[in-house]
Amino acid sequence: MDSQTSQSSQAPQSPHSPHMFQVDLRGLVDLLSHHLYSSPKVYLRELLQNAVDAITARRAEQPDAPARVRLSADGGSLRVEDSGVGLTESDVHTLLATIGRSSKRADADGLQAARSDFLGQFGIGLLACFVVAERIRVVSRSARTPDAAPVEWTAADDGSYTVRTLPRDARPEPGTTVHLVARPGATDWLSHERVLSLARDFGSLLPYDVRVGDEAVTDLPAPWDRAYPSPATRRVALARHCHELFGFTPLDSIELDVPLAGIRGVAYVLPSAVSPAQRAGHRVHLKGMLLTERAEQLLPDWAFFVRCVLDTDSLRPTASRESLYEDETLAGVREALGERIRSWLTGLAAGDPERLAAFLSVHHLGVKSLARHDKEMLRTMLPWLPFETTDGRLSLEEFAQRHPVVHFTRTVEEYRQVAPIASAQGVGVVNGGYTYDSELVEALPSVRPGTVVAELDADTVTAHLDAVDAAEELALAGFLSAARGRLDPLGCDVVLRSFHPLSVPALHLDDRAARHEQARAEAEEQADDLWAGILGSLRGSAPRARLVLNHLNPLIRKVSSLNDPELIGTATESLYGQALLMAQRPLRPADSALLNRAFIGLLEWATHTESGEEGRR
């Protein structure tokens, strides 16, 4: 990048000599700003990070050395000064002039503290400053070589740089000062207000004294590490912190103290329900420096009801230092944090049922997700998790105590079909159509031995309905034959039963097997000869859907007394369509056509009857 480098690259070389890459710095900066970093604001994090690492390196050798970082901005420029280890002229050529080189990578000569003590590990910190600056000037004096003169390194965004030594009085004390000159259009990023805001966002938990002008940046100890007069005071203080940080007041706060994983922080419980598919963004600090506020992989998938803020010294950042590297350490931390949240839930169940009830009223879905794979959690939450049942909204524990057999449906549509009828017949049914519910009902015997669980199907419901007297059913054979003939093309049988409530004239019953067979038959009708043959070979023996007519209902009694086969068919189609609508089932094109046909048919019959009566008058 300097003149010496350019000359050496032009020296004659043998045909087999290796060639050096030529770096277009402006192109590289464009790559950083548009693809590696999410925003230009990261430039300030990189500057703070370099300053903190320099102080850490100096304190490894001089524990009593000053630890301060001072920032000063005026819109057109920014100065960042630290009391860190500083650089010699040799260090400048080695570390600042070579893209990708980092003092944290070199282990030679004992010139660094342990690598784990540093925030940065990728050696591109200063390069990121070119996102907002057209020129960078670094003045540094080494603490390791007190006799070395201060050195100045000045670089422009075209890739050129100069290095020179300065008089000793140019920088009397060890440390480094970085000067940035804003590029056109980027002056706002170097304004005092923006620099102060970014410094507080990134560096509020840094262990050293950081200031922008006279205003403090760090705010230690962290809210979760402070001492409070009482647990109630602590909850109020953390709730205030959550509101300032995330913009909501939490239902509760969960301590995330995992010493073995180097984790300290807090998880805030969201005050309103969220979708399980919505991944929460968590705020992660690495050794006090904000790494990301969008860490999605920090917690298990089931813990979507909390937002976390924490500080860690064990997790690895990616190259952009804006997200976490997925490795075994992160997997272990995820498991440890999940266990901490699980313990909080168990503690509420044992000692604070009111808070648990308030939590479950909002976030029962997250706990159900956890309980699917955790039998102990299912056992603990059994008396608390709510389910929709024919007895009202109950826990599975209470429902199982009331019914010897726990029947359930796998879809909401199936439940809506049978709930009123099953309830009237004394059959208890759980709606398993909501997320995770059917899985938990099926897991019930594993945590409650002796419990009988059975999926409710059309045969079970029909078996609980009263049969009609044989003589009466025989007298209605003509009506039933006409009704069955009209619905047979739809793959539906007609049966006659007596059941309560009397207000329900007809009930449409099917199950998954029946719907599968119906879909196969429809596909066979529309397929060509080859596919029709294949689909025909897959024909199943599952029972067809059925329309159960209620012999106790006054309307059914009137319809069953009709003698006109065409009118019986129209009435049957109307009852079929009404039963589908009552069950809130999605209508197929054939069902919609039937409803329309039946409606028109009934209108024609009614107007024809009225016209006949008018003529007789």
Side-chain angles (χ1 to χ4, degrees):
M1 290 161 62
D2 62 358
S3 58
Q4 292 179 347
T5 303
S6 300
Q7 291 172 4
S8 63
S9 63
Q10 295 171 2
Q13 297 178 334
S14 70
H16 301 290
S17 299
H19 297 272
M20 300 300 291
F21 284 106
Q22 301 299 310
V23 177
D24 179 355
L25 187 58
R26 285 176 176 165
L28 185 56
V29 170
D30 182 72
L31 180 67
L32 290 175
S33 60
H34 289 95
H35 299 284
L36 183 63
Y37 294 130
S38 61
S39 165
K41 69 180 183 180
V42 298
Y43 88 92
L44 192 68
R45 184 196 62 200
E46 299 294 338
L47 289 174
L48 285 176
Q49 189 164 278
N50 286 344
V52 169
D53 284 342
I55 294 172
T56 300
R58 183 176 180 185
R59 283 205 152 187
E61 301 175 6
Q62 305 172 20
D64 297 330
R68 60 178 179 270
V69 181
R70 297 290 181 264
L71 298 90
S72 177
D74 59 13
S77 64
L78 170 68
R79 187 181 77 252
V80 181
E81 182 176 3
D82 68 66
S83 59
V85 69
L87 301 171
T88 64
E89 183 177 0
S90 174
D91 294 334
V92 165
H93 283 289
T94 303
L95 303 175
L96 298 187
T98 306
I99 294 174
R101 180 71 62 85
S102 170
S103 61
K104 276 76 75 176
R105 291 184 181 274
D107 293 328
D109 301 324
L111 296 181
Q112 65 176 55
R115 178 170 173 164
S116 61
D117 292 333
F118 291 102
L119 299 174
Q121 297 183 23
F122 295 92
I124 56 177
L126 271 183
L127 192 61
C129 294
F130 281 118
V131 173
V132 298
E134 65 178 3
R135 189 168 73 254
I136 301 174
R137 176 171 171 259
V138 178
V139 176
S140 186
R141 183 167 184 171
S142 175
R144 296 195 183 100
T145 313
D147 295 335
V151 60
E152 177 192 71
W153 177 83
T154 304
D157 61 0
D158 62 1
S160 63
Y161 74 93
T162 60
V163 179
R164 65 181 181 130
T165 57
L166 300 177
R168 294 184 180 275
D169 58 359
R171 183 174 182 91
E173 299 294 330
T176 299
T177 303
V178 179
H179 302 263
L180 302 186
V181 176
R183 65 189 313 126
T187 55
D188 181 60
W189 288 106
L190 272 60
S191 68
H192 175 84
E193 294 75 14
R194 179 65 71 92
V195 169
L196 178 61
S197 174
L198 292 177
R200 284 177 172 167
D201 194 39
F202 285 122
S204 62
L205 300 184
L206 289 174
Y208 304 136
D209 178 19
V210 182
R211 295 178 181 273
V212 177
D214 296 328
E215 299 180 75
V217 167
T218 51
D219 185 20
L220 296 176
W224 52 84
D225 285 330
R226 296 172 189 170
Y228 297 94
S230 67
T233 306
R234 181 180 184 83
R235 278 199 297 271
V236 170
L238 290 178
R240 186 185 306 114
H241 175 249
C242 176
H243 192 274
E244 293 172 353
L245 203 61
F246 295 123
F248 65 86
T249 301
L251 279 179
D252 208 345
S253 304
I254 307 171
E255 301 286 340
L256 299 180
D257 185 6
V258 189
L260 292 179
I263 298 288
R264 285 288 296 145
V266 60
Y268 293 116
V269 181
L270 294 168
S272 56
V274 294
S275 167
Q278 179 180 335
R279 301 299 298 271
H282 307 290
R283 242 180 118 84
V284 177
H285 295 256
L286 179 61
K287 304 181 185 73
M289 180 73 74
L290 178 65
L291 179 69
T292 178
E293 49 192 354
R294 298 189 304 272
E296 296 182 348
Q297 68 273 47
L298 187 66
L299 295 181
D301 290 342
W302 56 261
F304 53 81
F305 51 83
V306 299
R307 292 281 298 276
C308 294
V309 54
L310 55 83
D311 188 26
T312 176
D313 59 14
S314 61
L315 298 178
R316 290 175 55 196
T318 58
S320 67
R321 290 192 284 279
E322 295 188 286
S323 59
L324 298 172
Y325 189 80
E326 185 69 49
D327 57 10
E328 292 182 359
T329 302
L330 179 57
V333 166
R334 185 185 301 122
E335 183 178 349
L337 294 180
E339 181 58 37
R340 184 66 196 87
I341 298 173
R342 186 184 291 109
S343 299
W344 171 77
L345 285 169
T346 304
L348 287 187
D352 201 337
E354 290 186 2
R355 284 171 66 196
L356 178 63
F359 167 77
L360 289 178
S361 68
V362 179
H363 295 299
H364 57 273
L365 206 56
V367 180
K368 286 181 177 180
S369 175
L370 168 61
R372 288 182 305 154
H373 308 295
D374 190 327
K375 289 185 178 179
E376 190 57 39
M377 182 55 62
L378 177 58
R379 185 179 291 108
T380 301
M381 292 293 145
L382 207 53
W384 307 101
L385 288 174
F387 289 78
E388 182 180 2
T389 77
T390 49
D391 291 355
R393 200 160 181 81
L394 299 174
S395 69
L396 286 182
E397 175 68 27
E398 186 175 357
F399 187 83
Q401 291 174 357
R402 296 184 182 185
H403 298 278
V405 178
V406 178
H407 289 99
F408 73 98
T409 63
R410 291 192 181 275
T411 68
V412 174
E413 290 78 12
E414 290 174 356
Y415 178 80
R416 287 170 177 166
Q417 286 182 80
V418 303
I421 311 304
S423 179
Q425 310 306 312
V427 178
V429 184
V430 177
N431 183 357
Y434 295 114
T435 308
Y436 310 132
D437 283 8
S438 61
E439 296 175 73
L440 293 175
V441 174
E442 289 182 297
L444 189 57
S446 66
V447 297
R448 196 178 188 276
T451 303
V452 179
V453 172
E455 183 176 355
L456 191 69
D457 55 23
D459 288 336
T460 303
V461 177
T462 306
H464 280 82
L465 306 180
D466 295 333
V468 178
D469 180 78
E472 291 187 52
E473 187 166 3
L474 182 62
L476 298 175
F479 162 74
L480 291 174
S481 176
R484 287 166 180 156
R486 183 59 66 95
L487 294 188
D488 184 69
L490 297 174
C492 183
D493 291 332
V494 178
V495 297
L496 190 65
R497 292 289 187 273
S498 297
F499 56 86
H500 292 273
L502 300 180
S503 58
V504 178
L507 176 66
H508 180 269
L509 294 177
D510 65 0
D511 51 31
R512 286 181 300 164
R515 288 194 294 274
H516 176 76
E517 174 60 22
Q518 191 176 60
R520 186 210 58 77
E522 291 176 354
E524 182 180 356
E525 290 179 2
Q526 300 172 6
D528 56 28
D529 293 341
L530 173 62
W531 282 108
I534 295 173
L535 291 169
S537 68
L538 300 176
R539 182 179 294 110
S541 59
R544 302 201 302 173
R546 65 199 69 175
L547 181 68
V548 184
L549 303 179
N550 187 359
H551 188 53
L552 300 179
N553 181 268
L555 177 62
I556 296 299
R557 287 185 175 273
K558 290 181 181 180
V559 171
S560 63
S561 64
L562 297 173
N563 294 318
D564 183 351
E566 186 63 28
L567 184 55
I568 290 174
T570 300
T572 303
E573 288 180 337
S574 299
L575 290 168
Y576 173 84
Q578 188 262 354
L580 287 180
L581 293 174
M582 289 297 293
Q584 301 183 40
R585 290 287 303 277
L587 299 180
R588 300 170 297 163
D591 297 329
S592 299
L594 174 146
L595 276 171
N596 184 61
R597 182 173 65 246
F599 178 71
I600 298 298
L602 288 176
L603 282 179
E604 290 178 347
W605 176 81
T607 54
H608 173 74
T609 302
E610 289 179 1
S611 298
E613 291 178 352
E614 187 66 27
R616 287 194 295 274
R617 292 195 187 101

